[in-house]
Amino acid sequence: MAGERTAAILGLVVDYYIKTGEPLGSKTLCEMLPYSISSATIRNEMALLTSMGYLEQRHTSGGRVPSKAAYRYYVDNLMQADKLSDYEKQRIAEILSTNASDPERLLTDAAKLLSDVTGCAAFYSTVKDPYDCVQGVELIPAGGGKVMLVMLTLGGKIKSSVCTLSCKVDDEFKKAFYSFTNEFFVGTPLDEIDLSFVQTAAPSLGLRVFDMLPLLSTLCSLCQEAASGSLMVHGETKLLSQTELGSNAYSLLLLLSDKDKLENLLTSFAKSNLRQTLVLGDENPVYELKNTSMAIARFDYNNSQVATLGIIGSLRVDYKTILPRVDYIIKVTKTYLREGGIKYE
């Protein structure tokens, strides 16, 4: 950047465009500056910024709008980020503490909160861990011949389902079930558990196998569900109100609905050395995201578990308001994932 005045002018242009979506002309800019300067000088400065690739002029007689490079310079050098109030911090921590002991529910809450706070689409993903295994299984009688089956993995995933049984779930039944699952399921990698695995182990139950078959089939399904990585997107339709995206909003919505493509993108980031980053415009390798801003963070927790969390919006989002809140939500989520709900200060 050529000098402080040039940088100040760029900051005003970006702030004005983010707020209004309108180009900023030299006459209006003169009135906005805190010191006296001629329109001719302003035009020269704006011409310089245009030649440097920071401003664009869409019409010959129109004002200037920021380029994609301008947003990056603005965020890195010019932006005065808002500070969160103590009440806002406390509210974020309270919302995220509700499911702090369940990583996937915590990430779901964090993604919903991010979308609500930023007005952008938000997402989370967990990366498949081939080494995750069953840590424990629990039966909870629910009355009326029903029982809730709860399965916990070493990586902290909790899966549950309700089964209907034709037999009584008494102490003897539970003792036999726990003995069987401790011998064959606990400590077994999730990827290895399927129906053939159950069929191989089932003969050791004798006649009990017929009573327990619904539970074993359900447990098998829960293990297969936990073995896969998960991906959820919240607030996609909010992108339709971000007018800067224009017709690109629809191709972006198609990307967000293409779970395989989006999952590949997030898995690629999760496998990188980055922990948190803001990707703007052409910095993104995916074509549909070339006119977007994407804030994304990676989390490592519960041994070898990996997850990502972030937002996607237009380039014309209110960075100074949004980014500090995204940072704080990510910070609290990271603490809860590592410590399971300890109050964040």
Side-chain angles (χ1 to χ4, degrees):
M1 192 63 62
E4 290 184 11
R5 185 172 66 192
T6 309
I9 289 172
L10 178 61
L12 287 172
V13 173
V14 176
D15 277 330
Y16 184 84
Y17 189 67
I18 286 174
K19 184 178 180 180
T20 69
E22 298 293 333
L24 183 58
S26 57
K27 185 177 294 186
T28 305
L29 188 51
C30 275
E31 298 170 357
M32 295 173 64
L33 285 168
Y35 42 79
S36 179
I37 187 171
S38 69
S39 294
T41 302
I42 290 287
R43 286 194 292 271
N44 288 337
E45 293 281 15
M46 294 178 82
L48 174 62
L49 285 166
T50 302
S51 68
M52 295 170 67
Y54 289 116
L55 295 183
E56 297 173 350
Q57 189 174 24
R58 294 176 177 173
H59 305 288
T60 305
S61 59
R64 303 302 205 280
V65 298
S67 67
K68 294 176 182 178
Y71 287 112
R72 170 53 68 191
Y73 190 88
Y74 173 82
V75 170
D76 291 346
N77 302 283
L78 305 177
M79 182 184 74
Q80 298 294 318
D82 287 351
K83 290 185 178 181
L84 278 70
S85 67
D86 290 339
Y87 171 79
E88 205 171 354
K89 291 180 180 180
Q90 182 181 355
R91 182 62 180 152
I92 289 171
E94 287 176 352
I95 291 172
L96 296 180
S97 68
T98 303
N99 292 304
S101 60
D102 185 332
E104 290 195 1
R105 289 183 178 177
L106 169 61
L107 288 165
T108 298
D109 291 344
K112 289 179 178 177
L113 184 57
L114 279 173
S115 181
D116 290 342
V117 166
T118 65
C120 298
F123 59 83
Y124 88 82
S125 71
T126 58
V127 179
K128 180 177 179 179
D129 176 14
Y131 303 106
D132 198 9
C133 60
V134 178
Q135 183 175 4
V137 181
E138 186 73 26
L139 284 182
I140 305 173
K146 295 181 179 180
V147 63
M148 176 173 284
L149 177 64
V150 182
M151 188 271 295
L152 173 67
T153 77
L154 190 63
K157 293 181 179 179
I158 302 172
K159 300 294 180 181
S160 63
S161 184
V162 175
C163 297
T164 300
L165 301 178
S166 58
C167 63
K168 186 177 180 181
V169 183
D170 53 19
D171 290 341
E172 183 183 348
F173 180 93
K174 289 194 285 186
K175 182 179 179 181
F177 178 77
Y178 289 142
S179 176
F180 177 78
T181 54
N182 285 337
E183 179 179 356
F184 292 99
F185 282 83
V186 174
T188 301
L190 300 173
D191 270 347
E192 296 181 11
I193 299 174
D194 53 21
L195 286 177
S196 63
F197 172 87
V198 173
Q199 291 169 355
T200 302
S204 66
L205 288 169
L207 295 178
R208 275 287 192 184
V209 68
F210 298 106
D211 294 332
M212 293 189 185
L213 192 56
L215 284 175
L216 298 179
S217 297
T218 300
L219 181 55
C220 178
S221 297
L222 294 180
C223 290
Q224 291 177 335
E225 181 182 340
S228 304
S230 58
L231 169 64
M232 293 194 71
V233 181
H234 297 278
E236 306 99 305
T237 56
K238 292 180 181 179
L239 297 173
L240 295 173
S241 65
Q242 298 185 4
T243 55
E244 180 70 10
L245 289 172
S247 59
N248 292 330
Y250 296 99
S251 60
L252 184 53
L253 289 175
L254 288 175
L255 169 66
L256 296 179
S257 66
D258 187 341
K259 301 301 183 183
D260 290 337
K261 190 170 184 178
L262 184 57
E263 187 171 18
N264 289 336
L265 170 66
L266 299 179
T267 299
S268 176
F269 173 80
K271 291 180 178 179
S272 70
N273 293 324
L274 296 173
R275 287 296 178 267
Q276 185 173 342
T277 190
L278 176 67
V279 186
L280 299 177
D282 293 333
E283 297 169 359
N284 204 301
V286 178
Y287 174 77
E288 292 89 340
L289 298 174
K290 293 294 185 181
N291 292 306
T292 69
S293 55
M294 180 171 71
I296 182 172
R298 163 189 167 144
F299 306 100
D300 298 281
Y301 62 99
N302 286 353
N303 301 307
S304 57
Q305 301 301 299
V306 178
T308 63
L309 175 69
I311 63 167
I312 296 174
S314 76
L315 279 169
R316 196 173 66 84
V317 296
D318 188 357
Y319 295 99
K320 64 182 180 182
T321 299
I322 285 176
L323 291 183
R325 285 155 181 80
V326 170
D327 288 345
Y328 194 78
I329 290 170
I330 287 172
K331 200 171 186 179
V332 175
T333 302
K334 183 180 296 184
T335 298
Y336 283 167
L337 280 173
R338 289 179 175 175
E339 302 177 14
I342 295 174
K343 185 177 180 181
Y344 190 82
E345 299 293 343

